[in-house]
Amino acid sequence: MVNMFDRDTLDTIRKILENYPDRIIDVLNSLNENQFKSKEWLIEKLNEYPHHFRYKTIDKKLDICLLASWYGLLAYMLVDKFKLKQINNIDCFDFDPKAKHVAKKLWKKIDNDNIKNSKLTYIKFIEQDIKDIEKTQNKKLKEYPVIICTSCEHLEQKVIYDTINKLDQHTLVVLQSNNYKEINEHINCSDSLEDFANLYVSKLKNMKIYEKDFIKYKRFLIIGTKI
């Protein structure tokens, strides 16, 4: 009989179910079709970004900071698909104390495969509220040439502004949000792409803005550099 399911995937799901049974639905949601489409779209547009940003033209690998990173799907997609420059480290920050532990189990096989295939980007999961990164981490936000947050709808606008204010000039900033207000945790949706973009015209320059229809909601994307 033909094997219809990958054994490694089933084993990973089993381990997460055994250790974090309350997270299995959340993990599956983090890997659903819309999550992949949204992040593939982000990387596609990021690879097309034509403007200057920090480290773009110097011989130095990039460190990338992912804010509100959940279980890190975007980090692993960046390792495979990001083309603007070679990545050195990806630091994934999330305030959820379980996120990093679940992520380590979720991506263990991929990590091992990446090492075998000489994809040596180091992905680190860090339990940290965005507001407190500057207070507790040795590495400051201004040290990252690329900052990405795909969860602006989950964050207070002041937190996003305060974060951008801490960045060095010409830092590449990538933001996603949506107009999906039916979810309680979505406390900061934008009604339209124009509304989302207008939030950042005083913070970012050389902005490229995009919209993608996901039937139930529209997803918004901004790529720009810190003024």
Side-chain angles (χ1 to χ4, degrees):
M1 183 176 180
V2 175
N3 261 330
M4 297 182 68
F5 300 98
D6 179 87
R7 291 177 182 271
D8 291 319
T9 301
L10 293 175
D11 188 53
T12 297
I13 293 173
R14 178 183 59 79
K15 288 178 180 178
I16 293 173
L17 185 59
E18 288 176 354
N19 290 274
Y20 303 98
D22 59 321
R23 292 303 177 94
I24 190 65
I25 299 300
D26 201 41
V27 169
L28 294 176
N29 284 337
S30 79
L31 302 173
N32 68 30
E33 183 179 6
N34 281 351
Q35 290 294 330
F36 273 94
K37 285 183 178 179
S38 178
K39 289 164 176 60
E40 285 175 344
W41 173 55
L42 181 153
I43 296 171
E44 174 191 346
K45 298 306 181 185
L46 184 55
N47 285 334
E48 295 172 357
Y49 189 71
H51 301 290
H52 172 75
F53 60 89
R54 287 174 60 207
Y55 298 171
K56 182 177 182 179
T57 58
I58 66 174
D59 186 19
K60 187 171 184 178
K61 296 180 182 179
L62 290 178
D63 285 350
I64 296 177
C65 173
L66 301 186
L67 301 174
S69 59
W70 209 1
Y71 302 119
L73 172 63
L74 178 58
Y76 287 86
M77 294 179 70
L78 285 167
V79 170
D80 285 336
K81 298 177 180 293
F82 185 72
K83 296 178 181 178
L84 290 180
K85 288 204 68 174
Q86 191 170 356
I87 301 170
N88 184 35
N89 296 319
I90 303 177
D91 289 344
C92 300
F93 290 94
D94 201 289
F95 76 97
D96 179 357
K98 289 186 179 180
K100 66 178 181 180
H101 301 296
V102 173
K104 287 177 181 178
K105 291 188 180 297
L106 180 63
W107 302 107
K108 183 176 181 180
K109 173 66 165 54
I110 302 297
D111 284 335
N112 292 336
D113 288 346
N114 283 345
I115 290 172
K116 291 177 184 177
N117 295 324
S118 298
K119 296 179 181 179
L120 300 179
T121 298
Y122 181 61
I123 298 173
K124 184 178 181 181
F125 291 92
I126 303 166
E127 177 193 341
Q128 187 66 76
D129 192 299
I130 294 170
K131 298 190 295 292
D132 298 325
I133 291 175
E134 294 288 302
K135 300 175 185 176
T136 61
Q137 300 297 316
N138 292 328
K139 190 170 184 178
K140 303 303 182 183
L141 285 168
K142 67 179 182 179
E143 296 180 54
Y144 295 96
V146 181
I147 300 281
I148 301 175
C149 181
T150 65
S151 305
C152 291
E153 68 273 15
H154 288 268
L155 303 174
E156 295 176 2
Q157 192 60 43
K158 183 179 184 302
V159 172
I160 303 173
Y161 283 159
D162 288 347
T163 300
I164 294 174
N165 289 341
K166 294 169 185 173
L167 306 179
D168 267 2
Q169 190 179 22
H170 306 306
T171 298
L172 185 59
V173 179
V174 184
L175 304 171
Q176 279 189 331
S177 188
N178 58 48
N179 63 350
Y180 196 21
K181 297 181 180 181
E182 286 75 9
I183 296 178
N184 291 335
E185 291 82 4
H186 288 186
I187 62 171
N188 188 24
C189 291
S190 293
D191 291 328
S192 67
L193 176 61
E194 182 180 7
D195 288 341
F196 186 49
N198 284 339
L199 293 171
Y200 300 99
V201 292
S202 66
K203 302 289 183 182
L204 305 176
K205 63 181 180 180
N206 295 326
M207 286 201 306
K208 306 291 285 185
I209 63 173
Y210 308 93
E211 178 180 303
K212 191 174 183 65
D213 192 350
F214 283 88
I215 301 178
K216 286 186 177 181
Y217 60 92
K218 294 184 186 300
R219 193 81 170 143
F220 311 130
L221 170 64
I222 292 173
I223 305 173
T225 55
K226 167 72 181 300
I227 293 174

